[in-house]
Amino acid sequence: MKHDFFLLEPSMIAAKWSEFGHEAVRCQEAQIEMLHLDVMDGHFVKNFTMGPDMVLAIRKTVPDMALDVHLMIYSPEEYIETFIEAGANEITFHLEATEEIAHNLDYIRKCNCKAGLAIRPETSETLLLKYLDQVDKVLIMTVNPGFGGQKFMKEMLEKVKFIREKADQEGFKIDIQVDGGINLETCKQALDAGANLFVSGTTFFKEKDYTKIHHEFKKLWSPKK
Ligand code: DX5
Ligand code: ZN
């Protein structure tokens, strides 16, 4: 099933933290529709980033943008409501981080928020199959979660292909998101494998002109534009 919805999401971990609010506004001015906000607490991954107060600050700064919160924390069930109240439109948590997968997915959706399930590179994509009817998207990590600026793990494309095939076979219209090392070349590879949501931190924010780099990405799936 050819996907009809493609999106580039700047990963704010790679933005200028001293101007976080302005960076979000600049993204909006570049016609970005959704921001990717990485939440890390130093346990599930060995790094710290932002909490619900920062999500709320971004929400207040760009009230009309969609916020995609990627929880890289253990027991995400303890914080899902807090991040939804802070303004998240989509919440993705890791399959490896909780026993409450089905409950969390159900709760997120009951809160009119899109539910995503993520897997680390070392986690088999087959573990996602039993949840495909409960998710709005799956996130195939293309780097080890925790830090921006890492090299794209090309072998993860097999997972993207596998999930896209299974979802098409079962008739599940789910989004497949890739996150980590996404530049114009790896984005095209992931697109061709069946992904339709692309998270880019370093490649996006190293550019001065966000409209230009956004346009470069969009040309990959709508060459005519
Ligand atoms: C890594 C994060 C990604 C990453 C993307 O744990 O989930 O969002 O920061 O940054 P780049 O594009 O620099 O790999
Ligand atoms: Zn992320």
Side-chain angles (χ1 to χ4, degrees):
M1 182 188 301
K2 198 86 192 90
H3 228 78
D4 54 6
F5 175 75
F6 300 88
L7 212 53
L8 172 75
E9 299 177 43
S11 179
M12 295 298 284
I13 196 174
K16 208 180 292 170
W17 280 64
S18 59
E19 300 177 11
F20 220 60
H22 291 305
E23 291 276 67
V25 170
R26 286 186 205 125
C27 286
Q28 188 168 37
E29 288 165 352
Q31 292 79 47
I32 292 290
E33 296 169 50
M34 183 146 76
L35 297 175
H36 185 81
L37 302 174
D38 288 313
V39 175
M40 304 177 191
D41 67 355
H43 293 286
F44 184 72
V45 293
K46 290 300 166 209
N47 195 5
F48 294 83
T49 55
M50 67 190 84
D53 289 350
M54 181 60 98
V55 173
L56 180 60
I58 293 290
R59 168 51 67 228
K60 288 178 178 171
T61 307
V62 283
D64 304 330
M65 288 191 89
L67 303 181
D68 172 28
V69 172
H70 177 191
L71 296 178
M72 284 162 275
I73 62 175
Y74 282 115
S75 307
E77 52 277 4
E78 294 173 10
Y79 292 96
I80 286 169
E81 186 173 15
T82 307
F83 279 100
I84 292 175
E85 283 170 359
N89 301 93
E90 310 203 3
I91 292 206
T92 300
F93 62 93
H94 274 260
L95 180 145
E96 309 93 345
T98 175
E99 300 294 320
E100 305 289 335
I101 297 169
H103 167 270
N104 290 348
L105 293 171
D106 182 52
Y107 180 76
I108 292 168
R109 289 177 132 187
K110 279 205 173 95
C111 294
N112 293 320
C113 199
K114 280 195 173 184
L117 189 56
I119 53 170
R120 290 173 183 268
E122 70 267 22
T123 300
S124 166
E125 60 277 24
T126 56
L127 296 180
L128 290 169
L129 293 180
K130 65 189 278 194
Y131 301 106
L132 291 188
D133 62 340
Q134 300 168 63
V135 296
D136 296 292
K137 73 177 168 199
V138 296
L139 166 50
I140 306 291
M141 288 305 294
T142 43
V143 294
N144 282 306
F147 297 89
Q150 300 178 75
K151 190 172 176 321
F152 179 78
M153 297 169 74
K154 197 172 166 99
E155 61 275 28
M156 295 298 119
L157 293 176
E158 291 309 309
K159 294 186 179 182
V160 173
K161 281 184 199 139
F162 174 82
I163 292 294
R164 183 54 79 201
E165 276 161 21
K166 289 292 179 192
D168 286 353
Q169 275 165 20
E170 308 284 325
F172 298 129
K173 200 167 172 11
I174 61 164
D175 293 323
I176 299 180
Q177 185 178 39
V178 286
D179 182 10
I182 300 296
N183 56 36
L184 292 171
E185 184 194 340
T186 58
C187 183
K188 182 73 175 70
Q189 292 168 11
L191 175 70
D192 293 344
N196 67 301
L197 298 181
F198 307 94
V199 177
S200 178
T202 304
T203 294
F204 183 88
F205 284 105
K206 74 169 190 262
E207 291 294 334
K208 290 247 175 309
D209 183 341
Y210 296 164
T211 302
K212 179 171 171 293
I213 184 64
H214 187 196
H215 184 68
E216 291 300 311
F217 272 103
K218 280 204 291 193
K219 271 195 309 189
L220 296 173
W221 50 81
S222 48
K224 56 191 173 305
K225 279 186 198 145

